Amino acid sequence: MSKDGHIQAYTHPAAGWGALKQVAINLVREKVTAGNYRTLLKQNQPDGFDCPGCAWPDREHASTFEFCENGVKAVAAEATSKRVTPDFFAAHTVTELLKQSDYELEQHGRLTDPMVYDAASDKYVPIAWDDAFKLMARHLNTLPDPNQATFYVSGRTGNEAAFLFQLFVRMYGTNNFPDCSNMCHEPTSRGLPGTVGVGKGTVTLEDFEHADTLLIFGQNPATNHPRMMNELRDCARRGATIVSINPLRERGLERFTSPAHAVEMLTGASTTISNLFIQPKLAGDFALIKAMAKRLVERDDEALAAGQASVLDREFIARHTSGYEAFEQDLRAQSWDELLAESGVPRTQIEQLTDIFIKGEKVISTWGMGLTQHKGAVKTIQMLSNLMMMRGQIGRLGAGLCPVRGHSNVQGDRTMGIEDKPAKAFLDRLQKVFNFEPPREHGLDTVDSIQAMLDGRVKVFLGLGGNFVMATPDTPLTFDALRACDLTVQIATKLNRSQLVIGKEALILPTLGRTEIDLQNGVPQGVTVEDSMSMVHLSYGMNKPASPELLSETMIVAQLAHATLGSGQVDWLARGADYASIREMIEKVFDDFHDFNARVAHPGGFHLRVASREREWRTPTGRAQFVPHAVDTDTPIHRARAKHGDRLMTLMTARSHDQYNTTIYGMDDRYRGVFGLRRVVFINKDDLALLGFKDGEHVNLVSVWDDDVVRRADDFLLVEYDIPRGCLGSYFPETNGLVPLHSTADGAGTPTSKSIPVLLERAAA
């Protein structure tokens, strides 16, 4: 309990009337005008706009309203009538604004004018757009090496802006493309090519209509991608078996009342979603999945000994895969004791879960950042691929791999070439189409960019969307990194902390939101996005822009490219004025985007072919590859526990329900029973007793790492919760500072935000 808020168990189903109530509160809080309410009816519609929130796909762009609480919050944040004008900046110094919370900064509203930092007054002052572009061009063109600039991209950016941006930056001369993928699903993008040949999922929404079993790893869909809940509801109601595999029992995976179904709303009914909950300890998913694979081999032995059919899909293994024999040998040699200890899951539950997997004829495995933000994330994704291949559950109707991406176009940005490690074939195609030699050396990802800024190797930072300093790890170091730059540029719709952590010179460039009409030479422009299941569709805004001074992201990129490189090789300004012409460029580079403008004009757009969905394996062997991996018992968590014993806890960061990525919509997390608070730590009741604390006490968190840096987050409320022993949960970005900069996923560089070794100390009264 706290004087600023309270903890109260939430006993209702997810969504339902509670969601509608929160939507109404949020629309009032954002002061959305009545005229903009119609926007909500055009969200994810054929004649409307794509939601600026999550990347869950739309069902054939049906004309019926599909309610999504956090989608409405995202739209309301753009449609707000509140404004951050030059007068606002004249009344506040940067130092003053830095003292405000992330929630308070968000609530000021939409940015209206380009602003430049004035060091003498410690305030932002207005700057003309042309002068802003000249300032950026001067900095970029005076750098002795293009690699001294780094270019961050948020997953909200549309395909057209992303493609134009990567082309400009590569013509400028670098592959420094840190992006939000680095911090979330990079292990998916790096892991899947090694097993199935493509770093994307293999399913579409149609597969959910046919699946009889769903395994949901490390996800909280009711908060992070609420439209997924309607698919899960439909699956549950027709009898599919759904298993939730997550350290926390999330309310949305227990019971769900769909606001889109009047009978449920009027009768107070709900749908039970999950048939079984499995709660591995943090970083225990790899051992759990490998244990399932080992048990599958044992069950196959039992079946064959009894004269029964194999439980493995031996025809699929023989025809479509390589490496199975070595993989099976590794499983047989694997100790059960080690798997049980590392997973934290009893063997009886592992056997129950494996039986469900065997019974399933059409199995979809989905996952979120609960699998990807760990040191062993890449091998976890590959082990899940191994498991699915053992029963041929990839490349057939109703079955497959389903990574659920976060921001609305994070997958599309990567497809468009926002990639610090671009493929040779892609660079060759750029060279051929645009007649220039692109840089071949791999660039900097997010963590490497932060280190390079700290080292003085990067002098210019340009952020195309997002809130870089609050999304990244080791927050004080990231602050120092941005402040070491000669120039920092933030392109954004609303005020956030990244615009206040600045280099010697700094710009804020306000841009149109996804919901707003984008007119170029009097012609409305649409942008395309690619969702989690590789559907590409067109989005047109419909609201009046928040300010006449706003430029689209695409035009900002075009103007910057023109100011920096001139238009001798590419007519940047002409491209920025006609997005269809950018799509014509895209189809020349990517074969899968042939007839781009014609195909995307159809309602619902088109599906990008995923080779592994059709059992075409783009691997060196031409087959799907089984990849054996050992259990790692020498991780930073193991070493810290050896030193500190049972006092050592493992912390995961998570979103609250009133949050999307780093955007804080409100101070509640109602499904977890938290109201008016964010500085909370969820803890098992037995750990409270072990450590000598009580529910409701305040503690400080101190991370344990093998360097001399002290990382701490002070004054958090302990909340007794259903979470495995030795594990803690808390919110980001408040706890991002506990994640060491170089604590990353092996082979991916993703911060280990779901497995942070920490100690708790009692806070001062």
Side-chain angles (χ1 to χ4, degrees), residues 502-524:
I502 54 181
K504 297 179 181 66
E505 294 189 88
L507 289 167
I508 297 175
L509 303 182
T511 186
L512 292 172
R514 185 80 57 79
T515 62
E516 291 173 312
I517 298 168
D518 183 356
L519 286 178
Q520 303 296 337
N521 295 329
V523 179

Side-chain angles (χ1 to χ4, degrees), residues 679-745:
R679 299 183 78 83
V680 300
V681 176
F682 302 110
I683 185 171
N684 184 285
K685 65 178 181 179
D686 293 332
D687 287 326
L688 281 172
L690 173 71
L691 298 173
F693 294 118
K694 295 180 180 179
D695 181 38
E697 281 196 78
H698 287 252
V699 296
N700 305 325
L701 295 88
V702 183
S703 70
V704 179
W705 196 248
D706 54 1
D707 59 19
D708 296 325
V709 179
V710 176
R711 299 175 179 87
R712 59 187 301 120
D714 292 340
D715 197 20
F716 281 69
L717 179 75
L718 285 173
V719 177
E720 183 183 310
Y721 208 78
D722 185 1
I723 189 171
R725 288 288 310 274
C727 300
L728 305 172
S730 192
Y731 303 130
F732 73 85
E734 288 84 353
T735 50
N736 282 0
L738 297 171
V739 186
L741 182 61
H742 295 290
S743 179
T744 58

Side-chain angles (χ1 to χ4, degrees), residues 273-468:
I273 300 297
S274 295
N275 304 87
L276 176 67
F277 287 86
I278 302 290
Q279 294 177 269
K281 68 181 184 181
L282 290 167
D285 298 278
F286 172 81
L288 171 62
I289 296 167
K290 188 171 186 180
M292 291 176 65
K294 180 177 177 65
R295 181 58 185 152
L296 201 56
V297 169
E298 293 177 350
R299 283 290 310 274
D300 189 62
D301 289 343
E302 295 165 4
L304 295 178
Q308 300 170 352
S310 173
V311 299
L312 304 179
D313 190 335
R314 294 190 177 274
E315 192 272 338
F316 175 87
I317 292 171
R319 183 176 177 183
H320 290 284
T321 74
S322 62
Y324 177 73
E325 292 77 12
F327 174 66
E328 182 182 299
Q329 185 177 7
D330 177 73
L331 291 177
R332 292 186 183 279
Q334 174 66 58
S335 158
W336 265 112
D337 288 343
E338 190 173 60
L339 293 174
L340 297 176
E342 292 301 316
S343 69
V345 179
R347 181 160 179 171
T348 54
Q349 286 193 351
I350 293 172
E351 293 182 355
Q352 183 181 10
L353 179 56
T354 307
D355 288 344
I356 289 172
F357 181 62
I358 291 171
K359 183 180 178 181
E361 293 295 324
K362 298 177 180 179
V363 181
I364 294 176
S365 286
T366 80
W367 68 92
M369 287 185 285
L371 288 196
T372 61
Q373 291 184 324
H374 299 280
K375 183 177 187 293
V378 171
K379 70 178 186 179
T380 302
I381 303 304
Q382 293 187 335
M383 189 57 65
L384 183 56
S385 297
N386 292 336
L387 178 69
M388 293 286 280
M389 290 189 295
M390 292 174 79
R391 283 188 46 79
Q393 295 287 2
I394 299 175
R396 70 185 194 206
L397 185 65
L401 300 166
C402 181
V404 181
R405 309 280 177 166
H407 224 150
S408 60
N409 199 42
V410 61
Q411 184 162 295
D413 288 348
R414 184 54 60 89
T415 299
M416 290 295 102
I418 302 299
E419 163 68 276
D420 58 280
K421 297 176 178 61
K424 179 179 181 299
F426 168 66
L427 296 178
D428 289 344
R429 196 66 171 264
L430 285 181
Q431 180 185 39
K432 179 179 179 181
V433 172
F434 296 103
N435 193 30
F436 80 107
E437 179 55 51
R440 300 284 173 166
E441 179 184 359
H442 284 172
L444 302 175
D445 65 9
T446 296
V447 167
D448 290 338
S449 289
I450 295 170
Q451 187 62 59
M453 288 185 275
L454 288 168
D455 296 341
R457 291 180 287 117
V458 163
K459 294 294 187 180
V460 174
F461 174 92
L462 195 152
L464 186 59
N467 185 0
F468 185 82

Side-chain angles (χ1 to χ4, degrees), residues 102-124:
D102 294 286
Y103 171 69
E104 289 171 322
L105 293 174
E106 166 73 18
Q107 288 302 306
H108 290 305
R110 292 290 302 277
L111 297 163
T112 62
D113 293 77
M115 308 294 291
V116 63
Y117 180 65
D118 175 59
S121 63
D122 189 31
K123 293 179 179 180
Y124 275 102

